[in-house]
Amino acid sequence: MKILIPCLMTIVLYSAIVTQVLLIYDTWGDLDIAVECTITIIVVLVSNIKLINIVINNDKFRRLLQLMNKHWELFNSEFERHILRYNAGIGQKVANYFAVYLNATLIFHLLTPFMPKILDIVIPLNESRPLAYVYRAEHRVDKEKYYYPIVFHSYMTCIIVVVIIFTVDTTYLKCVLHACSLFTAISQRLENITGEADTILDDYEKIHSGMHYHLEMFMEKNSSAGNDYSELMTCLKKHQLALEHAQTLDSMFTQATLILLSLNMVVLSVIGIQFVNNLTQGEIIKYVFVTYGVFIHLIYMCIPGQLLIDRSREVFDKASAWYTFSIKSRKLLRVLLYRSLAPCTLTAGKMFVMSMTTCSSVMRTAMSYFTAFLSIR
């Protein structure tokens, strides 16, 4: 089933791409149809790339889930569990909102073929309205005779696209938020250690200011604070687990992200042409949904990377208070400082760091391509 289901999905998706290529071939020279077909092809390709990436990296994905399960066992203090639950809750809320949007878009597209039939009943004309389709395509058959099989094929394509995009994107976001929660938990633990050390330094100053009757209390607290070395060792081990999780996640999606980022830029460019062409037509609503979806997808790829950068950088900021640690702990702290010096990143093909800076760069590039395409037109 692990092989059969992706194969069946891929066959349906590529059969939809074939119908688009045939339509472009039959209407060669019609830029409007070419742009519309290009958008459909890219949307289908995006979902197929996501599916293929998960299939190819199935072992890494299994390893990632095993690591996440292990983290819930190792990060077992109350505040660490709270951080893990909090970020998991955010991921679930975002998934719910994303599901509402995708379902609304899917229902809108699936109802398109029924609109002429509904209007024939509500507002009848002297003749039947022309048949409507989810998207324009060329199947090399009689469209009226095989209307329902064609509509069924387009329904299957749309449902598969939405299911793949929702499943992969929400899983990706939850994995990134889990990584962020790991770094946040480590930062909080480091802050607790430095907080205890600051208290010890305050007591030490009181002793040297003449308050000698605090000496026994200070020595007792200092001996218990000697545990900062073991606490720091725990932070170092957990930081290693967080780094492994982030690196596995990046290696899984880096190649696919580069392709998806390029396709996002192209579809944002060509969809602007459709807005100009269909500014007074009913199809403008469809392209508003598509444009909003593409923009959300771009944000969905960039914001998790930015969050991971910010959260992993917090570890270095908290560990920078080296002067609050014991001499023995400082030697161990060097390792943590070195490993957290460069923040963890999610990349696109190991060339572009996924962040809000990249998001704005893609938007600017897409607008420049749109201007160039419009001038050619």
Side-chain angles (χ1 to χ4, degrees), residues 181-247:
S181 65
L182 299 183
F183 287 114
T184 302
I186 295 166
S187 302
Q188 185 64 44
R189 184 175 283 273
L190 283 171
E191 189 174 23
N192 292 341
I193 298 174
T194 56
E196 291 176 1
D198 286 339
T199 304
I200 295 169
L201 288 176
D202 291 341
D203 290 344
Y204 184 77
E205 291 176 358
K206 290 179 181 179
I207 292 171
H208 281 271
S209 64
M211 301 173 67
H212 296 287
Y213 56 86
H214 282 46
L215 181 59
E216 292 184 2
M217 183 184 298
F218 170 75
M219 293 302 295
E220 180 181 351
K221 188 178 289 185
N222 192 29
S223 62
S224 64
N227 294 328
D228 66 344
Y229 183 85
S230 61
E231 281 288 306
L232 200 57
M233 179 66 74
T234 302
C235 287
L236 193 60
K237 292 178 180 178
K238 292 184 176 181
H239 188 252
Q240 182 62 35
L241 291 173
L243 290 176
E244 184 182 0
H245 178 85
Q247 290 166 0

Side-chain angles (χ1 to χ4, degrees), residues 303-318:
I303 284 185
Q306 185 66 55
L307 288 174
L308 186 61
I309 291 173
D310 296 339
R311 297 297 176 269
S312 60
R313 186 176 286 141
E314 287 179 357
V315 177
F316 180 81
D317 294 339
K318 300 299 182 184

Side-chain angles (χ1 to χ4, degrees), residues 45-323:
L45 274 178
V46 164
S47 63
N48 190 242
I49 290 169
K50 290 176 181 289
L51 175 64
I52 293 175
N53 181 62
I54 291 295
V55 172
I56 292 176
N57 294 291
N58 182 65
D59 292 337
K60 289 184 180 179
F61 187 57
R62 184 186 297 275
R63 172 62 179 162
L64 197 68
L65 296 179
Q66 289 173 347
L67 283 173
M68 292 174 68
N69 187 55
K70 184 179 179 181
H71 296 156
W72 280 91
E73 298 175 359
L74 296 178
F75 288 71
N76 52 14
S77 66
E78 185 59 33
F79 79 90
E80 289 174 336
R81 287 289 179 88
H82 173 74
I83 293 171
L84 290 173
R85 285 194 297 266
Y86 177 76
N87 283 275
I90 293 176
Q92 189 59 49
K93 288 181 181 178
V94 174
N96 293 337
Y97 294 142
F98 194 43
V100 170
Y101 171 74
L102 286 178
N103 285 326
T105 306
L106 179 63
I107 291 172
F108 175 80
H109 281 78
L110 297 186
L111 289 178
T112 301
F114 294 101
M115 292 308 297
K117 298 182 180 298
I118 295 174
L119 291 175
D120 284 340
I121 298 173
V122 178
I123 311 174
L125 300 176
N126 294 331
E127 58 182 10
S128 298
R129 289 177 172 83
L131 298 174
Y133 300 88
V134 179
Y135 53 82
R136 285 196 278 191
E138 179 55 57
H139 293 80
R140 290 285 194 269
V141 294
D142 188 337
K143 291 186 176 181
E144 294 186 1
K145 182 179 179 181
Y146 295 97
Y147 175 72
Y148 290 105
I150 291 173
V151 171
F152 177 75
H153 178 258
S154 60
Y155 275 16
M156 289 294 296
T157 303
C158 290
I159 292 172
I160 290 174
V161 166
V162 169
V163 168
I164 293 174
I165 290 177
F166 172 76
T167 304
V168 176
D169 283 3
T170 53
T171 303
Y172 173 73
L173 178 65
K174 289 178 180 180
C175 290
V176 175
L177 287 174
H178 180 79
C180 292
S181 65
L182 299 183
F183 287 114
T184 302
I186 295 166
S187 302
Q188 185 64 44
R189 184 175 283 273
L190 283 171
E191 189 174 23
N192 292 341
I193 298 174
T194 56
E196 291 176 1
D198 286 339
T199 304
I200 295 169
L201 288 176
D202 291 341
D203 290 344
Y204 184 77
E205 291 176 358
K206 290 179 181 179
I207 292 171
H208 281 271
S209 64
M211 301 173 67
H212 296 287
Y213 56 86
H214 282 46
L215 181 59
E216 292 184 2
M217 183 184 298
F218 170 75
M219 293 302 295
E220 180 181 351
K221 188 178 289 185
N222 192 29
S223 62
S224 64
N227 294 328
D228 66 344
Y229 183 85
S230 61
E231 281 288 306
L232 200 57
M233 179 66 74
T234 302
C235 287
L236 193 60
K237 292 178 180 178
K238 292 184 176 181
H239 188 252
Q240 182 62 35
L241 291 173
L243 290 176
E244 184 182 0
H245 178 85
Q247 290 166 0
T248 304
L249 186 62
D250 181 47
S251 64
M252 270 187 62
F253 289 95
T254 181
Q255 302 300 331
T257 301
L258 178 62
I259 300 173
L260 295 175
L261 202 63
S262 304
L263 292 176
N264 245 84
M265 186 168 55
V266 173
V267 75
L268 282 173
S269 304
V270 299
I271 208 171
I273 300 175
Q274 283 302 95
F275 267 118
V276 175
N277 295 340
N278 299 290
L279 200 57
T280 59
Q281 301 179 17
E283 291 190 348
I284 189 68
I285 301 176
K286 180 190 296 186
Y287 289 106
V288 167
F289 272 107
V290 175
T291 305
Y292 187 69
V294 173
F295 181 72
I296 290 296
H297 183 257
L298 179 61
I299 295 293
Y300 219 91
M301 288 196 298
C302 294
I303 284 185
Q306 185 66 55
L307 288 174
L308 186 61
I309 291 173
D310 296 339
R311 297 297 176 269
S312 60
R313 186 176 286 141
E314 287 179 357
V315 177
F316 180 81
D317 294 339
K318 300 299 182 184
S320 296
W322 55 269
Y323 51 86

